[in-house]
Amino acid sequence: MLACFTVALAQSHTQSVRGSVADADTRQPLIGATVIVPGSDPLIGATTDLDGRFVLPRVPVGRISLQVRMLGYEEQVMANLLVNSAKELVVEVRMQESLAQLQEVVVSGRRSHGEVRNDMAAMSARKISVEETSRIAGGINDPARMVSTFPGVANDPSGDNTIIVRGNSPKGVLWRIEGMEMPNPNHFSDDGTTGGPINVLNSDMIDDSDFYTGAFAAEYGNVTSAVFDMKLRDGNDRKREYTLKAGVLGTDLTAEGPLPSVEGGSYLANFRYSTLALLDGAGIVDFQGVPQYSDAAFKLKIPTAGAGTFSLFGIGGRSHIDQQDKSALGDTLFSDTRFSSRMGIVGVTHTRLMGANNFLYSTAAVSGNGSRTDFRSTDAPMEQELEQRHKDDMGRWTLRVSSTLNTRISAAHKLRSGLVLSVDRFRMVVDSYDEERGLMLRQVDQDGSATTLQAFSSWKWRLNERFSLTSGVHVLHYGLNGSTSVELRAALRFQRDAASAFTLGAGLHSRTEAVMTYLAQDIDQQGRTFQPNRGLGLTRAAHAVAGYERMLAEDVQFKVEAYYQYLYGQPVENAPNSSFWLGNWDGWFTTRPLVNEGTGYNTGVEVSVEKFFTRGWHGMTTLSLFEAKYRAMDGNWYNSRWNLGAVGNVLAGKEWQLGGEGKDRVLTAGFRYSVMGGQWSTPIDRQASIEAGYTVWSDAAMSLKGDAVHKVDAVLAYRVGRTRVSHEIKLDVQNVLNANTPVYFYFNARTQRIETVDQLAILPVLQYTLRF
């Protein structure tokens, strides 16, 4: 690998840049649009053909911008595009029709950086660039970790990519792929959780995606916290390309190219396997608890002459780990845990242009996810064998179909309406040891189905070139318990001038809890089994957001948002003296009887200053101050577990072009400093726990504030390219200073001590990438 980096050719390297230009509202190809590379000498440019396609040959490698103009449309500038000598750059441009007809409208200073695909979203939205994810320190090519650099967003400091947004429970995060809701796409995850240590989705498969943190557009339902709307990219439809990666987190291969005999068709496929599992199988490493996982993904794009464009897609992953708790000398076994998880989704999408002003986007998909846990332990390892303490087998399969009609009534008015039908089939069994009763109890035993129906309609009205109003309604019906929610939403944007804008939005939102919550069972005093939460309703929230954004310079943006979220219909324990709120959990379920009588609020302000990647460097500073509280059945107000108080980031990155212009040799370095307030918890009564032999909580509910968590990440990469081949070696180090702030507390009955789970220790992730 090191020898490859010493190769340098005398000539400058170039690559083709091509793509398509279409109307943002109708997806009709735009003929005659001009595409140029600003600042190129001689000028590099092209005009789109009858299919809206363009090709820019022999573009020097490095970073470029594309400027796209069309009579009657607003100018688009795509900044900071990376041209690689080993891989063609293929882009899709969506242009917005101008309100001032028969004019070419130039919006000074407008760039596509950070602007989401969904033009119905007016605020609390951010585009996630795959290229940006790869160069942000601590991102380790995982978009779910990268979003923690956004204002108001934090990850779990103990190591996984659980997403905490504006003081909300991570359970309220919605994952979507190709416009369709999907199960938690993370390895080593349970049903009902939304995070995990490693994302199943490989970064080489993902296109630019969108992330929303509040006041969601009408098409997003069954969500109260955040939306991660991901899209798989299309494969290269002109030539075959490959990417091989080998690193600490996995070894994978990506292949793409044209489909034979299908004009414009392409394939894209990826497979990844745990590197540690490979080394363990070869006998190179030998330690207990080796994480084993694999995942795969594919996408086929199939255009047709008269029936529209189809695509077949799929992602899936499996993971397994065995862990044992032994004495220091390794001669005494206290417990043994075996855990495995799986998830997958396979689907088909269809895009059909219907006349000059409509297009229909439909999706059908089958998804599945599940997990198995087998936990055995003993209190007297020298006298008895391990005994069963927990065992579960969870499985869920879902059929989803959706269809969305987009209609442009005029340049000022646009409608989007759709239906989503989901049919769940589940089989779940959970046996767990009840400490107070001293015996194993079956807590879930259900084989059944449930149906969810969603409908939405949204309308965007551009009153003039300054004002735009988006309004809509979303309806959610959950068949398992008959709950229905009708949710009105609206957002207003005022473009004060070319450099600044004000935004205002509000909406109602709701979601279902994990299906295990409804299926949980207990035994009453007569020994009869019952399900205390079968009739639990939807969890609800009302969001209000006001924002201001301003371009301080062509490549520097200032943004501030203030928000208030009123939480109602919250699931709390149905006991007059109870402080229990299900929102303090990040997954799993409870057998406590719950009612939708809880309330709460999240309120705060977020500020960010971002310097876009220009002139070889980028930077961003964010600060979020917020408060999150809830009220349970006892009538008292408590700190939410997620009331972090403050979240902040300072990050920057620099690229050095080595060898002059046109030489594909680049050195990259970056850092990120992040701080987040500690989570709240209920203190453990150690003495009472020792006497009982299991965890006993004190009466001071949610009164213990954890310490603030500080972390410094760093990234260093070197890329060298030759004709049709490029090599990159990258070192991404999390927690460079190896800080070890306690994050969680638990009672260890064996040692009779209160012990801690600290933040993730220093983690160097080394990766080599070969593209050809």
Side-chain angles (χ1 to χ4, degrees):
M1 288 160 44
L2 293 176
C4 294
F5 298 147
T6 65
V7 179
L9 301 182
Q11 71 271 22
S12 297
H13 298 296
T14 63
Q15 183 59 272
S16 296
V17 176
R18 58 186 182 85
S20 60
V21 181
D23 186 291
D25 296 334
T26 67
R27 297 300 190 268
Q28 293 284 348
L30 296 181
I31 306 169
T34 59
V35 184
I36 66 170
V37 179
S40 56
D41 186 18
L43 184 65
I44 300 174
T47 303
T48 56
D49 61 16
L50 295 177
D51 296 319
R53 296 188 175 191
F54 67 91
V55 178
L56 302 176
R58 297 182 296 279
V59 177
V61 298
R63 296 191 180 272
I64 65 167
S65 295
L66 289 182
Q67 184 183 71
V68 187
R69 291 182 175 180
M70 176 75 181
L71 192 66
Y73 286 82
E74 297 178 358
E75 175 191 285
Q76 286 291 325
V77 176
M78 304 183 72
N80 190 38
L81 301 175
L82 180 60
V83 180
N84 188 296
S85 61
K87 189 176 181 62
E88 282 190 332
L89 177 61
V90 183
V91 299
E92 291 184 356
V93 183
R94 301 285 184 258
M95 301 194 72
Q96 185 67 54
E97 186 179 9
S98 169
L99 290 173
Q101 292 294 322
L102 300 180
Q103 296 182 31
E104 181 184 279
V105 179
V106 178
V107 183
S108 301
R110 178 172 180 173
R111 292 175 176 265
S112 62
H113 184 93
E115 294 181 5
V116 296
R117 292 174 177 269
N118 190 345
D119 62 349
M120 292 289 184
M123 64 192 62
S124 299
R126 173 65 187 264
K127 182 179 74 174
I128 304 169
S129 163
V130 176
E131 186 276 331
E132 189 176 17
T133 301
S134 67
R135 58 179 161 82
I136 295 294
I140 57 176
N141 295 327
D142 183 352
R145 297 183 187 276
M146 189 266 183
V147 298
S148 64
T149 63
F150 298 163
V153 184
N155 284 139
D156 186 332
S158 66
D160 71 24
N161 59 18
T162 295
I163 302 172
I164 305 165
V165 180
R166 292 180 171 176
N168 283 288
S169 168
K171 295 192 302 178
V173 175
L174 173 67
W175 288 91
R176 286 165 51 107
I177 188 76
E178 298 293 293
M180 180 72 71
E181 182 179 345
M182 68 172 170
N184 179 1
N186 285 285
H187 289 295
F188 306 102
S189 61
D190 290 314
D191 187 61
T193 62
T194 60
I198 301 171
N199 203 299
V200 171
L201 276 168
N202 192 292
S203 60
D204 285 318
M205 296 291 298
I206 304 172
D207 201 352
D208 291 346
S209 303
D210 296 338
F211 186 72
Y212 307 92
T213 57
F216 313 113
E219 65 194 81
Y220 299 115
N222 198 24
V223 58
T224 55
S225 175
V227 178
F228 215 131
D229 198 358
M230 310 189 80
K231 180 178 173 59
L232 298 177
R233 68 180 181 89
D234 295 330
N236 193 322
D237 61 355
R238 298 289 179 87
K239 66 177 184 178
R240 291 187 296 272
E241 296 176 335
Y242 305 92
T243 301
L244 174 66
K245 290 183 177 180
V248 172
L249 294 184
T251 299
D252 66 271
L253 175 66
T254 304
E256 60 184 293
L259 285 176
S261 305
V262 180
E263 178 63 28
S266 65
Y267 69 86
L268 175 66
N270 171 272
F271 178 76
R272 176 175 59 175
Y273 196 82
S274 165
T275 301
L276 289 177
L278 288 172
L279 297 176
D280 180 56
I284 299 175
V285 298
D286 183 18
F287 60 90
Q288 75 94 12
V290 174
Q292 302 180 31
Y293 55 88
S294 60
D295 48 62
F298 74 91
K299 182 178 182 181
L300 305 178
K301 181 182 178 182
I302 310 173
T304 65
T309 300
F310 295 86
S311 69
L312 303 176
F313 70 93
I315 62 172
R318 301 180 67 90
S319 52
H320 176 82
I321 189 169
D322 293 342
Q323 293 181 309
Q324 295 180 332
D325 181 15
K326 295 184 177 181
S327 62
L329 298 177
D331 56 355
T332 305
L333 179 62
F334 299 104
S335 67
D336 180 83
T337 304
R338 300 182 181 184
F339 177 79
S340 63
S341 68
R342 59 200 182 274
M343 71 79 54
I345 181 171
V346 177
V348 57
T349 71
H350 179 224
T351 304
R352 178 70 182 269
L353 304 184
M354 304 173 64
N357 294 310
N358 302 274
F359 78 93
L360 185 68
Y361 181 78
S362 303
T363 306
V366 177
S367 65
N369 66 295
S371 62
R372 288 190 178 97
T373 307
D374 190 319
F375 172 67
R376 300 170 185 267
S377 68
T378 178
D379 296 327
M382 305 301 293
E383 303 173 6
Q384 63 185 34
E385 296 182 352
L386 299 182
E387 296 180 345
Q388 192 80 57
R389 286 294 185 263
H390 180 89
K391 188 173 184 178
D392 64 59
D393 188 352
M394 321 289 285
R396 184 163 64 118
W397 303 264
T398 305
L399 170 65
R400 287 190 177 90
V401 292
S402 69
S403 190
T404 302
L405 177 63
N406 293 265
T407 301
R408 182 174 64 193
I409 301 173
S410 66
H413 297 278
K414 175 182 178 179
L415 289 175
R416 179 178 299 158
S417 303
L419 291 171
V420 183
L421 174 65
S422 304
V423 181
D424 281 336
R425 181 74 184 177
F426 44 80
R427 173 63 179 139
M428 299 183 174
V429 178
V430 179
D431 295 313
S432 194
Y433 187 78
D434 189 298
E435 298 282 1
E436 295 183 1
R437 301 176 185 177
L439 74 163
M440 291 284 291
L441 292 179
R442 177 147 293 187
Q443 296 181 330
V444 177
D445 187 1
Q446 191 75 47
D447 186 349
S449 61
T451 300
T452 304
L453 179 63
Q454 300 179 67
F456 69 89
S457 184
S458 58
W459 165 49
K460 184 171 184 178
W461 177 20
R462 294 195 293 163
L463 290 78
N464 50 47
E465 294 181 357
R466 290 191 171 188
F467 284 95
S468 64
L469 173 67
T470 304
S471 59
V473 60
H474 189 102
V475 180
L476 169 64
H477 176 76
Y478 190 39
L480 187 67
N481 54 23
S483 298
T484 301
S485 177
V486 179
E487 303 158 9
L488 300 177
R489 304 173 190 180
L492 178 68
R493 180 181 178 88
F494 169 55
Q495 193 73 38
R496 180 174 176 270
D497 52 40
S500 61
F502 294 89
T503 55
L504 181 66
L508 302 177
H509 310 280
S510 66
R511 64 175 176 86
T512 60
E513 293 292 338
V515 69
M516 297 178 295
T517 300
Y518 305 104
L519 305 181
Q521 64 186 39
D522 204 351
I523 301 176
D524 63 18
Q525 294 180 349
Q526 286 74 40
R528 295 172 299 187
T529 299
F530 71 104
Q531 293 178 316
N533 301 316
R534 184 79 178 200
L536 186 68
L538 299 172
T539 300
R540 305 171 187 259
H543 292 189
V545 184
Y548 172 72
E549 59 189 64
R550 182 174 183 82
M551 296 299 299
L552 303 179
E554 184 182 7
D555 56 356
V556 179
Q557 183 184 57
F558 168 82
K559 183 179 288 188
V560 59
E561 283 193 345
Y563 61 89
Y564 182 83
Q565 300 175 350
Y566 174 64
L567 313 180
Y568 63 105
Q570 298 295 304
V572 294
E573 184 177 14
N574 189 19
N577 297 318
S578 174
S579 61
F580 179 84
W581 173 48
L582 192 60
N584 283 325
W585 290 23
D586 57 3
W588 209 232
F589 68 94
T590 181
T591 58
R592 300 174 187 236
L594 304 174
V595 291
N596 296 105
E597 298 294 333
T599 58
Y601 67 84
N602 305 318
T603 184
V605 60
E606 303 167 350
V607 181
S608 67
V609 178
E610 181 175 8
K611 195 272 183 188
F612 304 154
F613 200 110
T614 57
R615 296 184 293 277
W617 73 282
H618 71 97
M620 181 165 65
T621 299
T622 70
L623 177 63
S624 304
L625 303 175
F626 59 93
E627 183 178 63
K629 294 198 172 185
Y630 74 95
R631 183 168 59 185
M633 288 297 288
D634 63 0
N636 298 321
W637 284 96
Y638 297 96
N639 290 293
S640 162
R641 171 183 171 182
W642 319 107
N643 185 17
L644 307 181
V647 176
N649 291 277
V650 177
L651 61 91
K654 171 68 176 175
E655 274 190 2
W656 291 271
Q657 186 78 34
L658 307 179
E661 185 178 355
K663 302 294 184 182
D664 195 6
R665 298 198 297 275
V666 178
L667 178 65
T668 303
F671 80 94
R672 173 191 172 192
Y673 165 73
S674 61
V675 60
M676 57 182 290
Q679 298 180 15
W680 289 83
S681 62
T682 299
I684 299 173
D685 188 328
R686 180 171 178 264
Q687 187 57 44
S689 299
I690 292 174
E691 295 174 359
Y694 55 86
T695 303
V696 176
W697 307 98
S698 77
D699 295 329
M702 306 307 293
S703 61
L704 178 62
K705 172 72 168 175
D707 294 334
V709 179
H710 301 261
K711 183 163 71 84
V712 177
D713 304 325
V715 63
L716 181 66
Y718 177 61
R719 185 182 73 247
V720 58
R722 296 185 292 163
T723 304
R724 297 188 297 275
V725 178
S726 75
H727 310 265
E728 182 184 58
I729 188 166
K730 182 170 73 170
L731 179 62
D732 195 342
V733 185
Q734 293 204 50
N735 195 7
V736 173
L737 302 181
N738 200 29
N740 61 346
T741 304
V743 179
Y744 305 118
F745 302 88
Y746 68 96
F747 175 70
N748 188 325
R750 179 166 57 82
T751 63
Q752 297 188 342
R753 292 196 300 248
I754 296 177
E755 300 184 359
T756 64
V757 175
D758 297 340
Q759 72 180 100
L760 181 68
I762 182 171
L763 176 63
V765 179
L766 184 65
Q767 179 178 271
Y768 166 71
T769 302
L770 170 66
R771 302 184 190 276
F772 58 100

